[in-house]
Amino acid sequence: MNIIGRLTRDAEVYTTPQEKKVVNFSVAINDSYRNKQGERIEQTSYFDCSYWISPNVAKILLKGALVELTGRVSTRAWTATNGELRSSLNFHASTIKLHGGSKKIEQAQAVVKQENKKIIIEELVDDLPF
């Protein structure tokens, strides 16, 4: 199965009791449709995701990033301490493609580009013969 969505939080790396590392993160997927009355209904689904292949991927999985995941879905059900039945969708990713960064990443890239332009302009001025 493939899903495309935005990370709702930065990825975290956990170590299991068997000393295996897993990257955990959450993805939100937005969908919309029109009901019988013609009203546009927006709906968001949240997936708790895990990635077992390499913990290094956690460095680039930042909140707001647009990711495409390939893997399999499972469900988990449990009873909360207050007796309420709870459930969640879990996505076990086998591949991750990063399609876009969060606003934090874009802002950092913009600052770097501005700094690089300043450096280039200063070098050009220093090279003038007069």
Side-chain angles (χ1 to χ4, degrees), residues 59-71:
K59 297 173 188 172
I60 61 168
L61 295 177
L62 301 175
K63 181 178 179 178
L66 181 64
V67 292
E68 179 180 351
L69 306 174
T70 302

Side-chain angles (χ1 to χ4, degrees), residues 80-91:
T81 54
N82 63 1
E84 183 180 336
L85 293 176
R86 306 288 310 254
S87 66
S88 66
L89 292 171
N90 299 300
F91 194 87

Side-chain angles (χ1 to χ4, degrees), residues 13-24 51-53 55:
V13 179
Y14 290 99
T15 304
T16 67
Q18 295 80 23
E19 299 298 319
K20 292 187 177 184
K21 294 191 183 288
V22 59
V23 179
N24 290 327
Y51 184 74
W52 293 84
I53 298 171

Side-chain angles (χ1 to χ4, degrees), residues 3 5 10-11 29 44 50-51 66 72 75 88-89 110 123-125:
I3 61 172
D10 293 350
I29 299 171
T44 304
S50 61
Y51 184 74
L66 181 64
R72 63 183 174 83
T75 58
S88 66
L89 292 171
E123 288 176 1
L124 291 175
V125 172

Side-chain angles (χ1 to χ4, degrees), residues 18-105:
Q18 295 80 23
E19 299 298 319
K20 292 187 177 184
K21 294 191 183 288
V22 59
V23 179
N24 290 327
F25 53 98
S26 179
V27 173
I29 299 171
N30 296 321
D31 192 19
S32 64
Y33 63 92
R34 294 203 183 273
N35 64 13
K36 291 181 181 180
Q37 293 78 24
E39 300 169 329
R40 185 178 199 88
I41 305 295
E42 303 244 354
Q43 157 181 345
T44 304
S45 299
Y46 296 93
F47 287 87
D48 292 326
C49 302
S50 61
Y51 184 74
W52 293 84
I53 298 171
S54 171
N56 293 332
V57 76
K59 297 173 188 172
I60 61 168
L61 295 177
L62 301 175
K63 181 178 179 178
L66 181 64
V67 292
E68 179 180 351
L69 306 174
T70 302
R72 63 183 174 83
V73 175
S74 66
T75 58
R76 186 169 66 104
W78 71 96
T79 303
T81 54
N82 63 1
E84 183 180 336
L85 293 176
R86 306 288 310 254
S87 66
S88 66
L89 292 171
N90 299 300
F91 194 87
H92 305 279
S94 57
T95 60
I96 299 172
K97 291 181 185 176
L98 189 63
H99 286 287
S102 67
K103 293 188 185 231
K104 288 191 294 188
I105 294 170

